[in-house]
Amino acid sequence: MTTSGERPATTDPVIGLAHLSGEVAAACARAGRSVQSVTLVAASKTVAPDRLAQTIEAGHLAYGENRVQEAKGKWPGLLERFAGVELHLIGPLQSNKVREAVALFDVIQSVDRPSLCSALAKQCERQERWPRLFVQVNTGVEPQKAGVLPDDADAFLQTCRDTHRLDVVGLMCVPPADQPPEPHFTLLAELAERNGLKQLSMGMSGDYTTAIEHGATHVRVGSAIFGARPYPTNLPTP
Ligand SMILES: *Cc1c(COP(=O)(O)O)cnc(C)c1O
């Protein structure tokens, strides 16, 4: 079964990517925004390295993985072959994976708790590598979902800056699957504005055009590029 935004798994990833890039450009034009103001992060979980090599060769450089373990197995070989790739961690980060995450990722979008901040600060200093950081906000206040609660976001951002000296550049959210995304995108944009943050990572296969209308600077799109995944990886398995 596929939902509206998904393409068949057999889709040529280069064609899927070209299609999606065109859709992003059209959404930018409709919103009166420049194409350069939105980064398409290709969500590549479960996508095999040979398919990723094809899209990298076609010139696409921004990718998002949601598990450190999977990324560690898949990306070092590709990073050796291709220069210029920008790797985003878009899934939850466990404290015991921080060392590996700092070593591998250019952007970590899922900062969401003080203990993670201190572990990140320590590893960044130690490795002299400073991935760009986004704070994830649980805009729908869903108990099973990662992210700081909207009411805690201001204080948490202050802790990131003042206590841990972390350079947070933006906010990220994954709205509840069963609700219209607009109020969540609006809320995230308000929180960012109020905290002087310029970057907004929001929008997935089903709602990236809406996210672009609401100011997204990063959209994370997987199945609409690569086809339906063999199993849902961002949900607990039943
Ligand atoms: C998988 C994933 C996406 C992309 O989801 P699609 O619906 O396939 O576009 C975006 N964000 C996160 C955090 C994800 O885990």
Side-chain angles (χ1 to χ4, degrees):
M1 196 192 78
T2 60
T3 55
S4 56
E6 294 177 344
R7 304 172 70 82
T10 50
T11 305
D12 177 334
V14 175
I15 293 174
L17 183 68
H19 169 78
L20 222 290
S21 301
E23 295 291 312
V24 166
C28 287
R30 284 197 301 276
R33 301 182 53 191
S34 75
V35 171
Q36 291 81 2
S37 68
V38 179
T39 300
L40 170 58
V41 178
S44 50
K45 57 179 175 253
T46 78
V47 180
D50 60 318
R51 301 186 85 212
L52 296 174
Q54 292 175 44
T55 54
I56 300 169
E57 268 176 340
H60 190 81
L61 297 176
Y63 294 84
E65 289 284 342
N66 73 334
R67 284 164 179 273
V68 176
Q69 206 62 28
E70 180 183 346
K72 238 183 67 184
K74 236 160 75 174
W75 280 98
L78 289 165
L79 297 176
E80 238 167 67
R81 269 175 76 193
F82 301 104
V85 170
E86 181 177 272
L87 210 51
H88 296 242
L89 177 63
I90 60 176
L93 177 55
Q94 293 165 261
S95 297
N96 64 0
K97 298 266 165 51
V98 168
R99 183 175 55 78
E100 290 162 330
V102 167
L104 183 60
F105 290 94
D106 302 294
V107 183
I108 295 176
Q109 297 202 6
S110 49
V111 179
D112 68 351
R113 56 192 192 280
S115 61
L116 183 56
C117 290
S118 46
L120 279 168
K122 200 169 94 183
Q123 279 302 326
C124 290
E125 288 295 331
R126 186 170 291 170
Q127 299 185 32
E128 295 190 6
R129 257 185 75 87
W130 285 269
R132 302 200 297 288
L133 304 176
F134 286 65
V135 164
Q136 183 172 354
V137 183
N138 184 357
T139 57
V141 193
E142 295 174 278
Q144 83 286 7
K145 201 164 269 176
V148 297
L149 298 177
D151 285 349
D152 298 340
D154 295 348
F156 180 71
L157 284 162
Q158 202 174 345
T159 304
C160 290
R161 288 170 177 152
D162 298 351
T163 309
H164 304 287
R165 307 273 161 215
L166 293 175
D167 189 18
V168 176
V169 298
L171 300 180
M172 181 268 234
C173 74
V174 183
D178 59 351
Q179 289 179 23
E182 289 88 345
H184 299 275
F185 295 160
T186 304
L187 173 60
L188 199 72
E190 282 171 8
L191 289 171
E193 166 92 50
R194 171 158 109 207
N195 285 282
L197 297 171
K198 299 253 184 308
Q199 316 222 28
L200 286 171
S201 174
M202 55 192 198
M204 307 176 23
S205 288
D207 55 17
Y208 63 89
T209 54
T210 310
I212 289 170
E213 282 164 25
H214 286 77
T217 60
H218 295 71
V219 292
R220 312 175 308 268
V221 179
S223 45
I225 297 173
F226 297 110
R229 285 179 292 276
Y231 51 89
T233 53
N234 50 355
L235 302 168
T237 27

